[in-house]
Amino acid sequence: MMPARAAAGVPETTLVVPALELIDITRTYGTAENQVHALRGVSLTVCPGELVAVMGPSGSGKSTLLTIAGALEIASAGTVRIGGHSVGQLSATERAAVRRRNAGFVFQDYNLIPALTAGENVALPLELDGRRPRAARREARRALMEIDAVELTDRFPDEMSGGQRQRVAIARALVGSRRLILADEPTGALDSVTGELVMRLLRSRIDAGAAGVLVTHDARYAAWADRTIFLRDGQVVQSAATPGGPETLLGVGLQ
């Protein structure tokens, strides 16, 4: 496994615009006695060149944090900024444009379009953003090649295994020049060898200047991050730089 690396630092004189800022984020569902607090005052800043792992037990708010970070869901309170731009007051169409241009998602359930081939699924975000189809397909093929899945280019999702679908979903998240990668258990359906390949690709994209948030339950994969935060009951209960962070945080979660 690749050794953990120190958090990316910048000189104090350098102005760095965070790729992602979550400021005092609260998310509630339901009303009155049926109200559920998924997140309670969570703040997180992720800068270019930084990968943050998010760990915690089931129901702790990890996936909610990720969907709010990518403007798929609106916070009940607090501020979300992507690339320095606040997204809370944007229309649904404007939020979709911000996501398409800035954020690549890897979902637990893949979210591939059944009627499109792997190549078409990966190229779709580029085409929606105005890229010519032929150029978008070339980039999609390169992304699939990076993830060692180019042989899937012309296959439809129902012709693939779960692990193959996940690799296509990862290629779609990495295609183009997105500066924020949001991954929800991206190695969950993969064997250990492919899982390490995925983490190497994710880490290389971060080292090239993107920012990333990785939701994972596995300390082996959290060790690839620069720091790890642990959620419990919708709150950040601990944050630690890696190495040493995941094991410490897992201990907190078991108390």
Side-chain angles (χ1 to χ4, degrees):
M1 183 180 69
M2 178 180 176
R5 53 190 65 209
V10 295
E12 292 184 3
T13 56
T14 302
L15 178 62
V16 175
V17 176
L20 173 67
E21 293 175 277
L22 304 180
I23 304 170
D24 201 21
I25 296 298
T26 295
R27 183 66 172 104
T28 58
Y29 301 97
T31 57
E33 67 273 8
N34 296 319
Q35 192 171 77
V36 175
H37 292 268
L39 295 175
R40 304 168 183 259
V42 171
S43 294
L44 174 66
T45 298
V46 187
C47 290
E50 184 179 28
L51 176 62
V52 176
V54 181
M55 303 186 75
S58 179
S60 61
K62 303 186 299 296
S63 292
T64 300
L65 183 150
L66 211 63
T67 57
I68 288 175
L72 284 169
E73 188 174 351
I74 298 299
S76 302
T79 301
V80 178
R81 296 194 187 106
I82 298 176
H85 302 288
S86 180
V87 300
Q89 302 305 313
L90 298 180
S91 67
T93 299
E94 290 169 331
R95 289 198 308 275
V98 168
R99 286 195 302 272
R100 199 165 56 242
R101 294 167 187 165
N102 296 281
F105 286 88
V106 184
F107 300 94
Q108 287 189 60
D109 57 359
Y110 321 129
N111 265 22
L112 300 178
I113 297 175
L116 300 182
T117 65
E120 290 167 342
N121 266 283
V122 175
L124 184 61
L126 302 178
E127 292 188 48
L128 290 175
D129 207 34
R131 193 76 58 87
R132 291 184 177 180
R134 184 174 294 181
R137 301 291 169 84
R138 280 199 301 267
E139 282 206 49
R141 187 175 178 84
R142 280 197 294 268
L144 286 164
M145 196 174 297
E146 276 191 310
I147 199 71
D148 197 23
V150 71
E151 76 280 1
L152 302 175
T153 300
D154 296 320
R155 291 194 204 173
F156 292 93
D158 64 1
E159 298 172 331
M160 306 176 204
S161 67
Q164 289 173 330
R165 291 177 197 172
Q166 185 67 300
R167 288 156 74 184
V168 173
I170 291 162
R172 182 182 57 189
L174 296 178
V175 74
S177 56
R178 296 186 183 97
R179 311 309 292 168
L180 177 63
I181 310 299
L182 303 170
D184 195 354
E185 299 283 4
T187 58
L190 304 176
D191 59 62
S192 60
V193 173
T194 308
E196 181 161 331
L197 170 63
V198 167
M199 293 309 302
R200 286 187 184 280
L201 283 171
L202 181 58
R203 185 72 247 186
S204 67
R205 181 61 62 91
I206 301 304
D207 292 342
V213 180
L214 166 70
V215 168
T216 182
H217 69 281
D218 194 328
R220 294 175 302 167
Y221 297 123
W224 290 71
D226 300 297
R227 58 190 168 101
T228 303
I229 66 171
F230 196 96
L231 289 180
R232 188 169 59 203
D233 298 328
Q235 295 178 294
V236 177
V237 295
Q238 183 123 308
S239 177
T242 328
E247 292 78 5
T248 301
L249 295 173
L250 284 171
V252 171
L254 295 173
Q255 292 177 357

